Amino acid sequence: MRPNLLDPFFRAITTLPGIGPKLEKLYRRLLGREDEPRLVDLLFHLPTGAIDRRARPKLREVEPGSVVTVKVTVDRHRPAPPGRDRAPHLIYASDETGDLILTYFRARRDYLEKLFPVGETRYVSGNAAFYDGMLQMVHPDRVVDEKGLAALPMIEPVYPLTEGITANMIVKAIDNALSKIPALAEWQETAFLRKNGFPPFGDALQTLHRPRDMNDIAPEGPARTRLAYDELLASQLALGLMRAHNRKRAGRAHAGNGHLRRAIIAALPYSLTLSQHRALEAIVVDLSKPERMVRLLQGDVGSGKTVVALLAAAAVIESGRQAALMAPTEILARQHFNTIAPLAEAVGIRAAILTGRERGKDRSALVEKLATGDIDILVGTHALFQDDVTFRDLALAVVDEQHRFGVHQRLALVNKGEAVDMLVTTATPIPRTLVLTYFGDMDISELREKPAGRQPVDTRTIPLDRLTEVTDAVGRALQDGQRVYWVCPLVEESETSDLAAAEDRFKTLRKRFGKEVDLVHGQMRGSEKDEAMRRFSVGETQLLVSTTVIEVGVDVPEATVMVIEHAERFGLAQLHQLRGRIGRGHGKSTCLLLYRAPLGETAKARLAIMRETEDGFRIAEEDLKLRGEGDVLGTRQSGMPAFRIASPEAHGHLLPAARDDARLILSRDAALVGERGKALRLLLYLFERDDAIRLIDAG
């Protein structure tokens, strides 16, 4: 139960004066809540900047494009002509150095004449810019007289807003919320606060929302850094408690005697890399222990994760138990199955696949064989955790691309057996900061090398106006017997987008190259997609036009050319994944990134990185810098807690200290019952890591 002391933080926003049901709906949108926002949501909605009213330049000193506060005399009004509602109401004002036009659209004349009496002095604050050679200010933020100026904050925070909520409304709501929060016991060490110059928690909130200096709201300023560290510590404490809980939960020793693993390694057409050997060794050690394994296996495109997952499965199959591999899409599940099936068959492992496509008698027979233990490893999609799918003795769950699954979906699979070990794999290397942040409850194995024989890919960027040259080059590649992917971002032309659609591109290329061209996209039936992929992989077709359904897992070693149309619209990780579909065989491979000029700064940086490197771990770090952690990990979709205050760019350097602090705290007071422990419970509740407290209280 949350302590009563924290109740004011978790009161509904509608308990504040002036916020009724209509405004509450707008605040939901602004604060990203599906249910009713609370005061804590409002207090953690931090300013992104501030207006500094301390400097009041003369009109001739105003920097165009800046937010300024100026003292002017109102000279005259020029209202919109009758019947021309769209024309602006202009107010001409001046000081001894120059003139300023104040512009209002769709405002009532009587209101503006009262606000700006001719001959009076007014202080106006807003964005000043030149239009037609005249200094103008459109819809000033503030208009006050001498008395009103004295009441204005000299440094005014600027908040993200949504339509229907004004800056004044949010400032007023936050002021009311700040007046209701209680003083809390300090959860940070006094020496640590003193060393870093950090204020107490409540003071940090007050400083950020009522700044007296521009540095008060800076991301690296003491107030924001203090709150960011609190959030990181809450996250690391929760992960530490979860890790301890997972370790404590009874497990079973699953690893067998190694005979199947040795047989699989002997059947491989290549040698395992050093990273694969190390990862397998660590997994087998985990499986041999009576505690549950929770391990993350991350590797670059084509680094051989599926084979490591099969070898891990073989370890539990050797001891008479079963394994499951769950992938987020049917194409990916079938690709894993295609890699696993021949190796499994060669050594006598019984493998099967279950997706939404298996129906009727076939599905019933498969489910029955699984329940009786006649299937050793089951590969599939979300279909694996349906109620009627039961295992005789599930010992290992491999979850691929885990950030595409919600927590409950992963647990649904793990709960299909007794003390099931979990191996999570991802083909999107995750930056170290995010590994510490989101996967701190897991042990980590990384596959850094690519398997022998992988070819470097020659990556080039080409503007779309050279499309004819690209098509000619593709024609030459087809004549040489090469296979080509051509990726488009949309399936069909939409009215709101000028992107070349996959279906249109397919028609154009089909007209030129005939039946060599095929099409695959996400809106096709599973069997149609598989058939198109089969035709391409056996060489019946040579040019596959596709959407991003081929992003992960598709393996055609003969494909040597990848054309990505509108590459500027894709994220870095996605571009890297797509490029990873080529360079898998012995032929020289080329990736052509077609872009529409002119490029924005971010898109330019993305394409430059793609040309510079094929190292997925470096690309992941750069992606984090460009996009932020929510987008990189897909936290918006997966239910992972995206940070509200801490940002990897500004506060990532604090993570190691927060992790070490969390470890030290839990080694001294694992149940958080000491004086600091009780205060830290408040911290966990404030940052909504309640699950961690439930784990402690459950023992």
Side-chain angles (χ1 to χ4, degrees), residues 546-557:
S546 163
T547 55
T548 55
V549 291
I550 62 148
E551 177 188 341
V552 178
V554 173
D555 188 9
V556 180

Side-chain angles (χ1 to χ4, degrees), residues 306-490:
T306 308
V307 169
V308 174
L310 174 61
L311 289 163
V316 304
I317 294 165
E318 287 160 4
S319 58
R321 292 172 183 145
Q322 292 166 299
L325 191 161
M326 182 166 75
T329 65
E330 189 171 327
I331 277 195
L332 193 44
R334 292 197 179 275
Q335 189 63 55
H336 284 310
F337 185 68
N338 293 342
T339 304
I340 284 169
L343 290 166
E345 193 179 346
V347 302
I349 289 175
R350 297 161 299 179
I353 184 163
L354 177 64
T355 68
R357 198 189 310 171
E358 280 67 42
R359 294 196 181 96
K361 287 180 186 172
D362 290 347
R363 187 182 185 283
S364 302
L366 189 151
V367 168
E368 196 176 315
K369 285 169 80 175
L370 187 70
T372 56
D374 292 332
I375 291 172
D376 299 312
I377 178 168
L378 183 63
V379 179
T381 54
H382 303 71
L384 293 192
F385 52 76
Q386 286 169 354
D387 289 345
D388 66 331
V389 177
T390 54
F391 292 78
R392 187 184 63 78
D393 189 2
L394 179 65
L396 173 70
V398 182
V399 181
D400 189 39
E401 296 298 328
Q402 80 122 28
H403 53 275
R404 298 198 192 183
F405 292 101
V407 176
H408 301 298
Q409 292 172 318
R410 298 197 295 275
L411 290 177
L413 181 59
V414 169
N415 290 337
K416 295 249 176 213
E418 180 201 335
V420 174
D421 287 314
M422 185 155 79
L423 179 67
V424 163
T425 70
T426 176
T428 312
I430 298 163
R432 184 170 175 272
T433 314
L434 301 189
V435 166
L436 289 179
T437 304
Y438 292 109
F439 302 94
D441 58 326
M442 297 183 187
D443 294 305
I444 314 288
S445 291
E446 286 180 357
L447 302 183
R448 285 273 177 173
E449 314 102 314
K450 295 215 175 149
R454 275 292 184 133
Q455 303 295 313
V457 176
D458 178 13
T459 302
R460 304 175 191 188
T461 51
I462 300 172
L464 264 168
D465 55 21
R466 290 174 57 195
L467 187 63
T468 310
E469 291 171 52
V470 172
T471 311
D472 292 345
V474 164
R476 291 192 293 274
L478 296 179
Q479 277 177 344
D480 290 346
Q482 296 181 52
R483 270 175 244 169
V484 179
Y485 292 107
W486 189 303
V487 179
C488 302
L490 284 183

